[in-house]
Amino acid sequence: MSVVRVAAWSAAHPWRAIIGWLVFVVLCLGAGIAAGTRNAGTEDYWIGEAGRAEEIATSAGLERRPVEYVLIRPGRETSTQAAARDVTARMKRLPEVENVGPPARSADGTTLLIAVTMKGPELDARQHVDPLLAQTAEVQRDHPGLVVEQTGSASISKGVNQQRGEDLALSEAISFPVTLVTLLVVFGSVLMAAVPLLLALSSIAAAMGLSMLVSHLLPDAGVGNNVILLIGMAVGVDYTLFYLKREREERARAGGRLSPRAVVELAAATSGRAVVVSGLAVLVSTATLYLAADVVFSSLATGTVLVVLVAMASSVTVLPALLVRIGQRAERRAERRALRGLPPRRGRERGERLWRTLLRPAERHPVLTLVVAVLVMIVLALPALGMELRVLNRDSHSREIPALRIHDRMTTAFPELRTLHQVVVRDGQGRTEEVGQALRELGRRAHADPLFARNAPADIRVSADGRVSVLELAVPYRLSSPEAERSLDRIRDDYLPATVGAIEGVEAAVTGDAARNVDDLDHVNGKLPLVAGLLLLVTLVMTMIVFRSVTLGLLGVLLNSLSAAASFGLVVVFFQYGLATTLFGFDPSATSAIGSRVPLFLLVILFGLSMDYQVFVVSRIRERAAAGVPTRQAVLDGIAGSAGVVTSAAIVMVTVFAGFVFLHLAEMKQIGFSLAVAVLLDAFVIRTTILPAAMIALGRWNWWPAPLSRQVHGVRHAAPGGHALTTVREP
C-alpha cells in the first residue's frame, strides 16, 4: 500500500487512526513489560581467543566466578579482627555465596580484605548482590569505629546500571523541554509544537516495548533504551517536522481551495514519501552493524531499527489524522477571522531571505566556495588520523559510583588485584601432571617478570575429569595500562608457547579482562572495513535508486563521508586531546582515548541521519528542476525553501545529542558529541555551502545518466471548481 493511500485512509478516518495508534503503543509497551528483557549473558560476549578460553573453562565448570571484596580499615578503632569474623559469618549464611576466603592483610598492614565468591554466572551476579551489600552495611553499623565497605564486579556493574538509569532520566529532563521550546519557536503554536513531541514520545514508548520482545531473540547488552531515546527523539521529531512544514506550505499555496484532507494527501505525496525513503535509508545503514557480529553492536542496531520503524510508521499513519483535525480547526479559525473582517494570517518570509543571503557565495562563485568549504572540512578531519581506540572499561567509568571509588582504594592497598589473566588449557588425553608441570613453569617465569605480581600465588584449578586446567596470574597495573597489555603479549607470545605449547595435542588460550579488551578491539578493527565498505555501497545504491542519478549517488556518499570524517576529527580533539576536560571539566579518564565501538556506530548512524537531509533537500531541488526551473535557480529555491525546516530539525537533533555529552558513561559522551557536531556540520556547512556549490557547478550533470524530464511524473489533485493542482512527486 502506497504512502498516499495510507495517508488518505488516515485522513478520511482520523479518530480510527488516532485510537488505533494509541492501542498499538499500549499493546507494544504492555507486551514488552509482560515479557521482560532478556539481558545478554556471559556467552554472548565471547570473542576471539579470550572467548574461546572462557568457553573451554565454562564447559569444565571452571568459569570465573563473581567475587565481591569486603575491605575493613581502621577508624576510631584499630582492631579489625572482630569485624572480619562478623563479615565471614554473615556471608557464609547467605544462599547467594559459594565460599568466603580467609582475611588477607595489605602490605602496609592497614587494610583487611575478605574475598566472597558468589554463585552463578558473573554477569548475573549484579541481580543478586543486594543481600551481600546489606550484610556489609550491617557490619558497618555494628562497628562504627571502623570503615567497612564492599566492591567487586557485581557491585560495580550494579552501580554502572543505576547510573545509566539516572543518566537516561537526566537526558529526558534536558531534551524534552528544550525540544518543546524549539518547536514553539518554529510553529508559534502550542498545539503544533506538541504534535511532534507527543509522536516522538509515543514512538519511543512503543519501541522500548518492542525491544523487550525482540530481546528474547537478540539479547540486550544494556544499551538498547539509551539508543532508543537518543535516536527516537531525533528522528521522531524530524519526520513529523518535515511532514508538518510541508502540510503548512500546501495549505498556504492552496489558499483555501482544498480541504484539509486534500492538503494532507498532497503532503503525503511529497514529504510523506521523503520520510519513508529517509527512514528506509537509516534502517538499511543501521542493519550493516549486524555484520560486526558483536552483541553490543547488535543491541545498538536493534534499538535504532525499532525506533526508526515506529517513528516512520507514526508519521505516515497517525500524523495525517492529526493534521486533518488540526486543519479543520484552522479552517474554523480562519472563517471566524473572515467574519470579523480580519485579513488571513501570512507566513513569515524573513527566514527564507536570510538563507538566500547565505547561499550567495555558492550562487556567485560555486567552484571557489566548494574548494574552500571542502578544505575546511578536511582540516577538521585531519586529527582523526591520530585516533586512538580503547575498550572503555572500569578505568574510564565515572568515579561518582561508590563501588568504583572503593575499588580504587582496594587496588591501591592490594595492587595484585588490578588485573588478572587466566591461562586455560584443555588436554583430551588427560595428561594432568604434565600439563600441571608446564603451567607451574609458566607461573615461575611470570613471577620472575617485573610485569607480574610476585607476591600473588599462581594457583592451578583442575576440572573433575582432569582434562581442563586454569592458571591465574596477577598483574599490579591498571587494566587499561600499557603494562597490562604487554603482560598479556608476554604470556601469549613467549611463555605459553615455550611451556604448555610444547605439549603435543593440547589446546591453550588466555582470557581475563585485559584479554577481553584486546580481543574486542581486534574484532572491531577487523570488522570495520567490511561494515564501512558495505555501508558506502548501500548508501550509493540507495541514493542512485531514489534520485535516479549516478552523480547524486556519488555526491551523497562523498558528502556523508566528509561530514563523518570532520566529526571524527573534532571528537579526537575534544576527547583524546583533552579539550573537553579543559572546557567542561570532564574526567580525564573518560577523555584520554576514543571508545572502540564509537567510530563504527557513529559512521553507520551518521550516514543514515545524513540521508534525512539529503533526501529532503535534494527532493525539493529535484521538484523545482522537474517543473522547468533552471538547475541553478532550482538549487537555490530548493535549499532556501527547505532551510527553515532543516534548521529546525537540526536544532532539535543537536539539542538531543548534546544532552548526552553531560552523561557519565564515556562512550555516550563521545557518541552524543560526535552526533551533535556532525548534524551541525551537515545542516549548516554541507547542505548550505558544499551541496549547493557542487550542484550548481555540475549543472545538468546532476541528473546523469537520464534527463530529469524522463524521470518525474506529476500527481494531479482535483480542486474545488474544476481546477487541478499538480505537485511533483518526491522520491
Side-chain angles (χ1 to χ4, degrees):
M1 185 179 291
S2 69
V3 174
V4 177
R5 289 176 63 189
V6 173
W9 182 92
S10 178
H13 309 89
W15 286 115
R16 292 187 194 177
I18 294 170
I19 293 171
W21 176 254
L22 293 175
V23 169
F24 169 75
V25 173
V26 171
L27 285 177
C28 289
L29 199 55
I33 292 172
T37 301
R38 180 194 161 211
N39 293 312
T42 304
E43 65 279 1
D44 295 309
Y45 292 91
W46 289 344
I47 286 177
E49 180 181 333
R52 183 162 51 87
E54 291 176 40
E55 183 179 4
I56 295 171
T58 301
S59 67
L62 297 177
E63 67 269 27
R64 191 169 73 169
R65 297 292 186 186
V67 179
E68 288 292 294
Y69 298 96
V70 179
L71 279 74
I72 306 174
R73 295 183 288 124
R76 295 191 306 273
E77 301 176 21
T78 56
S79 177
T80 57
Q81 293 299 326
R85 289 192 295 270
D86 194 4
V87 168
T88 301
R90 287 174 178 273
M91 294 298 182
K92 283 184 175 180
R93 290 196 294 266
L94 294 176
E96 294 84 4
V97 173
E98 186 173 281
N99 63 68
V100 181
R105 192 168 292 278
S106 61
D108 61 6
T110 61
T111 305
L112 210 58
L113 179 75
I114 301 172
V116 182
T117 304
M118 298 179 64
K119 297 176 181 176
E122 190 173 19
L123 282 182
D124 293 345
R126 64 189 176 202
Q127 303 170 20
H128 311 293
V129 74
D130 283 342
L132 281 74
L133 292 169
Q135 293 302 317
T136 300
E138 288 288 340
V139 174
Q140 176 65 85
R141 280 192 287 271
D142 292 345
H143 299 270
L146 302 173
V147 178
V148 184
E149 50 194 8
Q150 178 181 329
T151 188
S153 59
S155 50
I156 289 174
S157 181
K158 178 181 174 63
V160 170
N161 276 0
Q162 183 177 349
Q163 189 180 72
R164 186 181 287 128
E166 294 170 354
D167 281 351
L168 199 63
L170 175 62
S171 64
E172 292 170 355
I174 293 173
S175 61
F176 293 169
V178 177
T179 301
L180 181 58
V181 170
T182 303
L183 294 172
L184 282 171
V185 172
V186 172
F187 291 108
S189 162
V190 174
L191 178 61
M192 294 294 284
V195 169
L197 193 58
L198 290 176
L199 281 185
L201 292 177
S202 63
S203 297
I204 289 169
M208 285 184 174
L210 290 173
S211 71
M212 297 178 196
L213 296 174
V214 174
S215 70
H216 294 275
L217 297 175
L218 298 170
D220 180 41
V223 295
N225 285 344
N226 288 82
V227 77
I228 286 174
L229 179 63
L230 180 73
I231 303 299
M233 278 297 295
V235 301
V237 171
D238 264 20
Y239 294 163
T240 309
L241 202 56
F242 292 163
Y243 216 124
L244 282 170
K245 294 290 282 187
R246 188 57 185 247
E247 186 268 348
R248 272 192 160 190
E249 289 178 14
E250 296 292 354
R251 191 197 311 163
R253 186 182 303 166
R257 290 174 294 165
L258 292 179
S259 67
R261 176 177 168 183
V263 169
V264 167
E265 290 183 27
L266 279 172
T270 52
S271 286
R273 294 179 186 275
V275 164
V276 171
V277 170
S278 61
L280 290 175
V282 177
L283 294 178
V284 174
S285 299
T286 304
T288 59
L289 276 178
Y290 289 113
L291 294 176
D294 176 272
V295 66
V296 176
F297 280 133
S298 294
S299 292
L300 292 170
T302 299
T304 303
V305 165
L306 289 175
V307 77
V308 170
L309 267 176
V310 175
M312 186 170 61
S314 73
S315 67
V316 297
T317 56
V318 68
L319 181 57
L322 291 171
L323 291 180
V324 166
R325 302 300 300 172
I326 293 172
Q328 292 169 349
R329 183 172 177 268
E331 274 191 342
R332 291 192 295 269
R333 190 167 57 246
E335 290 172 359
R336 288 194 298 269
R337 288 181 64 85
L339 289 173
R340 293 160 57 189
L342 298 175
R345 294 183 184 273
R346 299 293 181 188
R348 291 171 294 181
E349 299 179 358
R350 185 174 53 187
E352 185 168 330
R353 288 200 299 270
L354 171 64
W355 284 104
R356 287 190 181 276
T357 302
L358 295 176
L359 286 169
R360 280 178 188 166
E363 177 187 6
R364 297 176 178 177
H365 309 285
V367 176
L368 178 61
T369 302
L370 179 63
V371 170
V372 171
V374 169
L375 285 176
V376 169
M377 296 291 282
I378 290 174
V379 169
L380 293 178
L382 286 177
L385 297 175
M387 182 183 291
E388 295 179 10
L389 299 182
R390 189 180 76 197
V391 176
L392 300 182
N393 48 49
R394 62 173 178 257
D395 287 348
S396 60
H397 289 328
S398 167
R399 263 38 200 176
E400 291 183 21
I401 300 173
L404 279 169
R405 295 200 300 272
I406 299 169
H407 176 271
D408 291 343
R409 289 193 287 270
M410 177 188 74
T411 53
T412 299
F414 299 89
E416 65 274 11
L417 296 177
R418 285 175 176 158
T419 303
L420 298 174
H421 300 307
Q422 289 88 36
V423 182
V424 182
V425 181
R426 177 162 59 190
D427 174 31
Q429 301 178 28
R431 293 168 291 186
T432 307
E433 184 57 33
E434 187 177 356
V435 170
Q437 289 178 358
L439 286 175
R440 285 190 287 273
E441 174 60 23
L442 193 159
R444 282 193 291 271
R445 296 188 182 198
H447 282 165
D449 190 325
L451 287 173
F452 296 85
R454 299 186 179 184
N455 59 337
D459 294 331
I460 300 174
R461 294 181 292 146
V462 182
S463 63
D465 61 5
R467 296 182 181 275
V468 177
S469 303
V470 177
L471 168 68
E472 193 167 85
L473 297 171
V475 175
Y477 298 101
R478 293 182 62 180
L479 181 57
S480 299
S481 66
E483 292 85 357
E485 188 171 337
R486 287 205 303 270
S487 68
L488 175 65
D489 292 338
R490 196 70 56 85
I491 297 174
R492 285 180 168 177
D493 299 338
D494 299 332
Y495 299 153
L496 192 59
T499 54
V500 177
I503 304 175
E504 187 177 351
V506 301
E507 182 180 4
V510 183
T511 186
D513 289 334
R516 290 175 187 151
N517 290 347
V518 169
D519 292 349
D520 279 351
L521 184 56
D522 290 344
H523 178 80
V524 171
N525 289 338
K527 294 293 184 180
L528 183 58
L530 172 65
V531 177
L534 184 60
L535 179 65
L536 292 173
L537 179 62
V538 165
T539 303
L540 175 63
V541 171
M542 283 200 67
T543 311
M544 287 169 53
I545 292 173
V546 169
F547 298 115
R548 301 179 180 90
S549 166
V550 174
T551 303
L552 289 179
L554 292 171
L555 184 61
V557 169
L558 291 174
L559 295 187
N560 290 351
S561 301
L562 200 58
S563 175
S567 68
F568 287 164
L570 288 173
V571 79
V572 168
V573 171
F574 267 75
F575 288 91
Q576 186 174 309
Y577 295 170
L579 186 58
T581 300
T582 303
L583 293 180
F584 304 120
F586 287 171
D587 188 341
S589 63
T591 60
S592 57
I594 308 303
S596 59
R597 292 184 174 89
V598 169
L600 186 54
F601 176 70
L602 286 176
L603 185 66
V604 169
I605 297 301
L606 289 178
F607 263 69
L609 294 180
S610 293
M611 282 292 288
D612 273 353
Y613 300 140
Q614 179 82 355
V615 169
F616 189 74
V617 173
V618 176
S619 294
R620 290 295 186 95
I621 297 170
R622 186 170 177 268
E623 182 178 344
R624 295 288 292 158
V629 177
T631 297
R632 176 185 292 264
Q633 192 60 42
V635 170
L636 299 174
D637 290 348
I639 293 179
S642 60
V645 66
V646 168
T647 304
S648 303
I651 291 172
V652 171
M653 273 197 177
V654 169
T655 300
V656 173
F657 295 151
F660 278 70
V661 173
F662 299 99
L663 305 187
H664 292 92
L665 196 61
E667 282 181 313
M668 294 310 297
K669 285 178 180 291
Q670 295 171 5
I671 287 173
F673 175 85
S674 301
L675 288 175
V677 166
V679 170
L680 280 173
L681 292 173
D682 203 77
F684 296 101
V685 179
I686 297 289
R687 306 302 162 197
T688 58
T689 303
I690 298 179
L691 176 66
M695 292 191 71
I696 289 173
L698 287 168
R700 62 186 179 86
W701 290 102
N702 284 296
W703 320 111
W704 182 81
L708 187 61
S709 58
R710 281 194 259 147
Q711 299 179 20
V712 182
H713 305 281
V715 181
R716 297 183 67 82
H717 299 270
H723 300 287
L725 297 176
T726 301
T727 299
V728 177
R729 285 187 178 180
E730 294 179 2

